[in-house]
Amino acid sequence: MEVTWNMLAIVCPLIFFASFADSIAGGGGLISLPAYLLAGLPPAVASGSNKLSASVGTLIAAIKYYRGGKILLLPAIAAAAGAFPGAYLGAEALKAVSEAFARTFMLVAIPIAAIAILFVKPAKEGTVRFTGAKMLWLCFGIGCVCGAYDGFFGPGTGTIYIALFTGLAGMEMVTASGSAKIANLSSNIAALISMLISGDVYFPLAVPAMAFSIAGGYLGARFAMRKGAKAVRAVMLLVLAGILAKLVLQF
């Protein structure tokens, strides 16, 4: 397969918007993964390519949040420690199923994840409910569950992290978003390693998309620390509806 200008025109702008949205409220994979599928990549290759471009955008966003003092470092590291093995096993499971099953699963899971994002309302302010070892074990468990989901499917993982960090751990929303970037980066890297080993990354398309992911991650994190995520979530769901409709027609 050779990369074409049409493939780049489909993927790169959507990767930018996905990274921008993901760095604010999570759920960017709801846009970026279907973008690779629309470009004609098989599900496993689309997932692997998505992990490559998403990882760099998440890294840039994480650095921006950290410099802004919006990450609880030890809880975030604990979640990352759970996310890494969970994501690797999830990616291995994805490669073990048939392409038809994976594509069907994605078509079913994408709207479910979108509905979840629509109704998830993380609190603006939170009261940390756990401290010390209890907080670390809670975040480790959150990382294990979200990591496995991220490795097998992925879209919506960031929003699930934010919801659990605010709802269970009581983090403030922007801090939860920043902490989620550390855990999400860990699961992205673990899944990416699995995909690289099996050759399920299409570099000619994923590498150009990385530049757009970096720009989106930086600008999105900056926007989140200034204004918040409500407006972006609404636009993201509108874009998702159009992408999903086209995927259904192609199925």
Side-chain angles (χ1 to χ4, degrees):
M1 178 187 296
E2 292 186 3
V3 66
T4 65
W5 286 109
N6 185 55
M7 294 168 70
L8 292 170
I10 291 172
V11 170
C12 289
L14 290 174
I15 293 300
F16 170 83
F17 184 71
S19 182
F20 182 87
D22 193 71
S23 64
I24 298 171
L30 287 164
I31 300 169
S32 60
L33 180 58
Y36 283 107
L37 293 172
L38 285 174
L41 301 187
V45 179
S47 180
S49 302
N50 183 49
K51 292 304 179 190
L52 179 60
S53 58
S55 292
V56 293
T58 302
L59 174 61
I60 296 302
I63 293 172
K64 184 68 176 175
Y65 276 108
Y66 179 74
R67 289 179 175 175
K70 293 297 183 178
I71 291 179
L72 292 180
L73 193 57
L74 288 180
I77 291 174
F84 193 90
Y88 186 87
L89 294 175
E92 290 295 308
L94 175 62
K95 292 186 292 185
V97 301
S98 68
E99 180 176 328
F101 176 86
R103 189 173 291 274
T104 301
F105 177 86
M106 290 177 181
L107 284 172
V108 173
I110 285 173
I112 292 175
I115 291 171
I117 286 176
L118 182 63
F119 288 101
V120 166
K121 303 292 183 183
K124 292 182 179 179
E125 299 292 337
T127 301
V128 176
R129 299 185 178 92
F130 300 94
T131 58
K134 289 183 178 179
M135 171 66 97
L136 298 182
W137 280 112
L138 173 63
C139 291
F140 179 82
I142 290 173
C144 288
V145 173
C146 292
Y149 170 81
D150 193 20
F152 185 79
F153 180 48
T157 304
T159 302
I160 296 171
Y161 271 122
I162 295 170
L164 294 178
F165 282 158
T166 55
L168 295 181
M171 294 182 190
E172 180 268 331
M173 183 179 176
V174 177
T175 301
S177 182
S179 300
K181 297 301 166 285
I182 301 295
N184 215 355
L185 178 62
S186 176
S187 58
N188 278 342
I189 291 174
L192 177 60
I193 290 172
S194 173
M195 295 300 184
L196 286 171
I197 291 173
S198 59
D200 288 316
V201 176
Y202 186 49
F203 288 99
L205 185 57
V207 170
M210 286 171 59
F212 289 82
S213 183
I214 290 171
Y218 177 84
L219 293 175
R222 181 180 178 183
F223 181 88
M225 288 188 286
R226 290 186 175 184
K227 296 185 178 180
K230 290 184 179 179
V232 175
R233 182 186 289 116
V235 177
M236 182 179 69
L237 289 169
L238 290 175
V239 173
L240 169 67
I243 294 174
L244 182 63
K246 187 168 184 179
L247 272 176
V248 171
L249 292 175
Q250 289 183 339
F251 184 69

